[in-house]
Amino acid sequence: TSQRELSAVQALQALDGASSALAAITGAQTDRMTRDDGWQLLSIGRHVERLGFLSAALDLAVDVGAFDNSPATANPADDNSSHFTALLSLFDSTITFQAQYQQSRELAPLVELLVQDNDNPRSLAWVARTLRGRLSKLANTPMGEPDALARLVPDLKHIDLAQLCMPNETGQHLALRNCLAQCTQAAWQVSDAITAHYFSHTDTADSVGG
């Protein structure tokens, strides 16, 4: 027999339920763990994945013209609204955005919340800052002295917001895309370095907790 086909709404509902269940499992699991090197690595893995995935997703949205409000775009207001809704949902920041910016559909507020807000645990800045802290903690470096891996992760808070949102003469947001590309690259560089340092089967590799 053929499998029952699901509508897009049903598929999204199923994925939302799975996401909630997995979040509950993760919370129960990590809540009982000692904050040792194993916990640090688990946390680093989550933040690496989040930084890489979210920065790549936002970059794709910019690349396909999600914020292009030119007259040539059909129903730009409706398209722009749907893009905002999708991105805010992906970053789990819908309520926060509405509380701070109401019904704004401009690029600057979105970038400020999703890229630079140090108080939003889903923003790239918050994830990057936390990842730097976890890496330094794992490396046992002195407070305020990030290790070499932590320095790979960009500090997004101090990048000029106006520059990130300024399109060039062809309407492309190159500064924003370069920033997001740096985040994506840093995530995979950290992932590769962690794998090589802690999980490679060589005599010189360090063991976690060793």
Side-chain angles (χ1 to χ4, degrees):
T1 59
S2 61
Q3 294 182 348
R4 182 170 64 92
E5 293 185 0
L6 297 177
S7 68
V9 173
Q10 290 174 315
L12 289 174
Q13 290 174 343
L15 290 172
D16 185 60
S19 176
S20 298
L22 290 172
I25 293 172
T26 300
Q29 181 185 49
T30 56
D31 187 54
R32 293 172 171 83
M33 290 182 66
T34 303
R35 271 32 177 186
D36 56 9
D37 287 348
W39 184 89
Q40 296 291 347
L41 281 171
L42 187 63
S43 179
I44 286 170
R46 290 202 310 271
H47 286 91
V48 162
E49 183 179 17
R50 189 171 295 171
L51 182 65
F53 172 73
L54 291 178
S55 56
L58 185 53
D59 180 63
L60 179 60
V62 177
D63 182 38
V64 300
F67 309 106
D68 181 11
N69 288 323
S70 64
T73 303
N75 298 321
D78 293 340
D79 291 344
N80 187 265
S81 180
S82 64
H83 294 141
F84 265 74
T85 300
L87 283 171
L88 290 172
S89 178
L90 183 65
F91 278 74
D92 196 19
S93 299
T94 302
I95 295 176
T96 305
F97 186 87
Q98 291 176 348
Q100 295 185 15
Y101 304 106
Q102 286 78 46
Q103 298 301 316
S104 172
R105 289 298 179 266
E106 296 179 1
L107 179 60
L110 187 77
V111 172
E112 185 174 33
L113 179 66
L114 302 188
V115 177
Q116 293 193 298
D117 193 336
N118 265 330
D119 295 325
N120 178 14
R122 292 288 181 170
S123 79
L124 299 180
W126 192 96
V127 173
R129 184 191 65 184
T130 304
L131 178 57
R132 289 194 301 271
R134 296 281 189 267
L135 290 167
S136 296
K137 180 75 173 179
L138 186 65
N140 292 318
T141 58
M143 182 72 70
E145 297 182 16
D147 74 318
L149 272 184
R151 289 195 293 271
L152 291 175
V153 183
D155 184 353
L156 305 176
K157 178 61 179 177
H158 301 295
I159 301 177
D160 184 64
L161 178 62
Q163 181 181 0
L164 287 179
C165 300
M166 180 68 67
N168 64 8
E169 60 277 4
T170 62
Q172 298 179 331
H173 295 84
L174 295 183
L176 176 58
R177 297 202 63 194
N178 287 336
C179 172
L180 297 173
Q182 290 177 17
C183 291
T184 305
Q185 182 180 18
W188 305 132
Q189 285 179 327
V190 168
S191 177
D192 290 343
I194 288 288
T195 299
H197 190 66
Y198 292 100
F199 298 102
S200 294
H201 298 289
T202 65
D203 294 336
T204 57
D206 294 338
S207 61
V208 176

